[in-house]
Amino acid sequence: MLKKDGMPNQTQAHLEDAKKDFVFKYLVAEIVGQRGDLAASSEIFYELAKSTQDVGLAERAAKVATYANVPALVAPSIALWSKLDPNSTEAQQAMAEMLIASDSLNAARPYLSKFFNQEETRAGGFLYLNNLLGRSKNKAAVLHLVESLAAPYPNLAEAHFAVAQAAFSAGNSNVALKSLESAEKIKPNWDMPALLKGQILFNQAPQSGINFYQSFLEKSPNSHEIRLNLAKLLVSQKQFEAAKKQYPILLKNAGNNPDITTVIGLLSFEAGDYLAAEEYFQQALKQNSKYIDQLYIYLAQVVEKQNKDNEAVQWYSKVGAGQHYFEAQIGLAALTAKTQSVDKAIEKLDELENLTTEQQISVIQMQASLLAKASRDQESFDLLDKAVNNLPNTPELAYDYALAADRVHQFVVMETALRKIMTATPDFAAAYNALGYSFADRNIRLDEAVKLIEKALALSPNDHYILDSLGWAHYRKGNLDKALKYLKQAYQASQDAEIAAHLGEVMWQKGQHQEAEKIWSDALSKAPANNLLISTLKKFKP
């Protein structure tokens, strides 16, 4: 018998059961999700989306699975969502992100190309592109992909800029500069390509980057970001007077902006103009900066540089509970060691409560450092030896342990620790440098020492500590000219007392006695208690 609408009772009953089953499963998914079982919730939403081919359910499944980090469901749920909603930018972006995360760049290409279908969003898509692709480790493949995506849009400045960014990340400066020139022709005086071009030129030759920024500002004097970066580069090159000329213009252009005032304070601090830095930080406070506790720390550090220890204590003590409290307590401990005793400082650090594992490690590193500065090397080593056996071994903790082992002449322990760091963290430049320098300083395995330090320098170019090590290793090998070259580079970057000791020794051995004496004299006036400097002077001028 048929109902009036022509539907058999059995079919209607089946649909009613299916509807009830759907509602039941949907409610279960909601309830288990609210109770925290997001994996189960995403699985139910995914199964419902598959059976109903419903876009909304597919989106819900994808977002819950992604948020809950359920690997088995993330890929299929996002794939279903992007399939059911091919016009959704969000869905296509999610699919592209998933493929990029798995380094499936070729598979991601058709999804990425959809970002550029609409003319009104095309430029923004290219500006976002490198952020999206930044997760991929294969930078050369990323460059190839971006070039192919940009090729259909030769008259779009943002497309050329995207290629330049990808080329820069891939270490291809020539392609980057060529693409930036193309962007500039289409869109003159655009800040973003100019910022990148200045950085590339600076990396090639510092003054050329500075000159480029200065010429750009002649045409576009209101380019705030360019001027700010110019100031930073000038400070990095110790062109302090030139940098200071930019500060009033930056402040004027920024108006009453405490963030810019703070940045200028930091640049003044880096330049060693501590009075000016203090004034800028005080001004930022008056401008109602949102980062009050951070400014308290900056003020503590800058007055400490002026030997106003009591004022530094007062500023650190103003820092309240929150993200900067721990940093302030570390600063107070350092002042306690300086003004009272190392033991008082260690006791103060021991009193800190509710520390994360990372903070516990920082406390131990600080305590070990204070002991080492007080020439209590065995206590420093014992503390770190206990830490590496009881706490997760971060590369930084293991590195401090290795240096402590070196100071107490536990060279096998030191080498073992450093080799472990190199294996676990192959880009940790300081580990290669430390082992190479130890060999050079002990005048052993000098060929290996040079190779280790050269590896460190490749990982961290222009690092003055590494340049010093390389110069010292060549000195030990008898390569005085090479030694002098690297040590001069190191000393130019930092007038560190130990670099001065090494540089002076090489100069002395080359017969440049007057130059050596001046280097030592200047260093001694700044660091009269440096042990290496004193022992070097005694060796050549007893």
Side-chain angles (χ1 to χ4, degrees):
M1 180 179 178
L2 294 177
K3 290 174 64 68
K4 289 181 181 179
D5 59 7
M7 181 177 289
N9 285 333
Q10 188 176 5
T11 302
Q12 185 181 28
H14 177 74
L15 289 174
E16 288 295 328
D17 287 343
K19 183 178 179 181
K20 288 177 183 177
D21 184 58
F22 172 86
V23 172
F24 174 75
K25 288 179 178 177
Y26 185 90
L27 289 173
V28 170
E30 288 283 7
I31 291 167
V32 297
Q34 289 170 9
R35 291 179 177 176
D37 191 351
L38 296 177
S41 177
S42 62
E43 185 174 2
I44 297 169
F45 279 129
Y46 174 62
E47 292 301 328
L48 288 174
K50 267 204 312 183
S51 62
T52 62
Q53 296 290 287
D54 183 88
V55 171
L57 288 171
E59 178 181 354
R60 186 75 178 274
K63 289 182 175 179
V64 174
T66 302
Y67 180 79
N69 191 22
V70 185
L73 287 172
V74 170
S77 59
I78 289 177
L80 180 62
W81 179 26
S82 65
K83 176 186 172 185
L84 294 176
D85 199 357
N87 296 320
S88 165
T89 301
E90 188 180 7
Q92 304 314 305
Q93 180 178 317
M95 187 67 181
E97 286 179 353
M98 182 190 71
L99 292 168
I100 290 164
S102 62
D103 256 350
S104 303
L105 296 182
N106 287 332
R109 189 186 185 286
Y111 296 96
L112 291 170
S113 65
K114 291 179 182 179
F115 292 177
F116 315 119
N117 288 343
Q118 302 297 322
E119 186 175 355
E120 60 271 20
T121 59
R122 188 174 297 151
F126 274 110
L127 291 179
Y128 174 70
L129 185 58
N130 278 286
N131 288 335
L132 193 60
L133 292 166
R135 301 173 188 178
S136 175
K137 294 179 181 178
N138 191 342
K139 302 303 180 187
V142 167
L143 173 57
H144 180 71
L145 174 60
V146 174
E147 285 178 321
S148 68
L149 291 168
Y153 310 103
N155 297 318
L156 186 66
E158 288 80 2
H160 291 288
F161 180 54
V163 172
Q165 286 181 300
F168 178 66
S169 295
N172 194 329
S173 297
N174 291 333
V175 170
L177 289 171
K178 185 178 178 182
S179 298
L180 290 171
E181 287 172 11
S182 299
E184 187 179 5
K185 287 176 183 176
I186 299 167
K187 199 172 182 179
N189 303 326
W190 181 22
D191 282 15
M192 289 176 69
L195 282 170
L196 181 56
K197 184 175 180 179
Q199 187 60 60
I200 294 169
L201 292 173
F202 180 82
N203 291 347
Q204 291 177 343
Q207 193 57 45
S208 67
I210 289 170
N211 292 343
F212 171 74
Y213 281 153
Q214 288 173 331
S215 64
F216 188 89
L217 286 169
E218 288 175 7
K219 296 176 289 184
S220 304
N222 295 324
S223 289
H224 185 73
E225 288 298 321
I226 298 290
R227 193 174 298 280
L228 185 58
N229 274 271
L230 171 62
K232 291 176 181 177
L233 295 189
L234 288 167
V235 169
S236 75
Q237 294 302 297
K238 298 182 170 53
Q239 298 180 32
F240 301 132
E241 290 303 315
K244 285 172 71 172
K245 291 177 182 177
Q246 306 302 323
Y247 300 166
I249 305 172
L250 286 165
L251 290 170
K252 182 181 177 182
N253 290 345
N256 193 40
N257 187 330
D259 294 343
I260 296 301
T261 308
T262 301
V263 169
I264 294 174
L266 290 169
L267 291 172
S268 300
F269 185 92
E270 190 177 341
D273 192 349
Y274 302 128
L275 284 173
E278 185 179 355
E279 288 178 13
Y280 285 123
F281 293 145
Q282 292 273 20
Q283 186 179 337
L285 278 179
K286 292 173 185 174
Q287 291 171 329
N288 298 317
S289 170
K290 294 182 293 184
Y291 308 106
I292 294 175
D293 282 346
Q294 182 65 78
L295 280 168
Y296 289 156
I297 288 174
Y298 290 155
L299 280 160
Q301 291 170 342
V302 79
V303 297
E304 191 177 351
K305 286 288 187 181
Q306 300 171 66
N307 296 315
K308 301 175 184 176
D309 294 335
N310 290 335
E311 284 187 42
V313 169
Q314 290 171 18
W315 285 118
Y316 278 130
S317 299
K318 283 178 176 285
V319 178
Q323 69 177 103
H324 295 293
Y325 180 77
F326 178 73
E327 184 182 355
Q329 297 306 304
I330 292 289
L332 281 170
L335 279 170
T336 301
K338 179 182 175 183
T339 58
Q340 298 180 47
S341 71
V342 169
D343 291 320
K344 282 278 187 185
I346 289 173
E347 185 181 327
K348 185 176 184 64
L349 289 167
D350 280 336
E351 290 171 357
L352 294 175
E353 297 178 341
N354 302 318
L355 301 180
T356 64
T357 301
E358 184 180 343
Q359 289 172 335
Q360 289 177 46
I361 291 170
S362 294
V363 164
I364 290 167
Q365 288 178 289
M366 178 69 174
Q367 291 173 328
S369 175
L370 293 173
L371 289 166
K373 286 177 182 175
S375 299
R376 293 160 63 174
D377 292 329
Q378 189 62 51
E379 291 174 75
S380 177
F381 172 75
D382 291 342
L383 178 64
L384 289 165
D385 185 56
K386 183 178 178 182
V388 295
N389 287 305
N390 291 290
L391 288 169
N393 276 206
T394 64
E396 292 76 17
L397 179 63
Y399 177 73
D400 284 357
Y401 175 55
L403 296 191
D406 183 66
R407 288 193 296 270
V408 295
H409 300 157
Q410 296 250 12
F411 299 123
V412 174
V413 173
M414 176 210 66
E415 183 171 351
T416 301
L418 291 173
R419 298 265 185 213
K420 283 182 180 178
I421 296 172
M422 293 174 204
T423 301
T425 316
D427 59 350
F428 198 93
Y432 299 93
N433 180 57
L435 186 55
Y437 179 76
S438 179
F439 289 159
D441 205 44
R442 288 182 280 147
N443 211 12
I444 63 171
R445 297 158 68 176
L446 296 177
D447 289 339
E448 186 179 0
V450 169
K451 287 180 182 177
L452 285 164
I453 299 166
E454 285 177 340
K455 170 74 171 175
L457 194 61
L459 290 168
S460 183
N462 303 318
D463 185 301
H464 56 272
Y465 292 113
I466 301 174
L467 288 165
D468 172 63
S469 298
L470 190 54
W472 194 240
H474 278 297
Y475 172 61
R476 292 296 205 190
K477 284 173 66 69
N479 303 328
L480 296 187
D481 289 337
K482 280 188 176 181
L484 193 61
K485 171 191 166 186
Y486 290 117
L487 288 167
K488 279 185 174 180
Q489 286 180 36
Y491 190 70
Q492 186 177 10
S494 172
Q495 282 74 56
D496 180 87
E498 297 195 3
I499 297 174
H502 290 155
L503 177 57
E505 182 163 340
V506 174
M507 285 178 164
W508 188 278
Q509 296 289 17
K510 283 183 68 67
Q512 301 172 11
H513 293 183
Q514 277 189 319
E515 294 92 332
E517 287 178 357
K518 186 178 186 314
I519 292 283
W520 289 331
S521 176
D522 290 346
L524 200 60
S525 67
K526 297 173 186 174
N530 184 271
N531 290 331
L532 178 62
L533 191 58
I534 292 167
S535 65
T536 303
L537 279 165
K538 285 181 179 177
K539 183 163 59 173
F540 294 98
K541 295 193 71 183

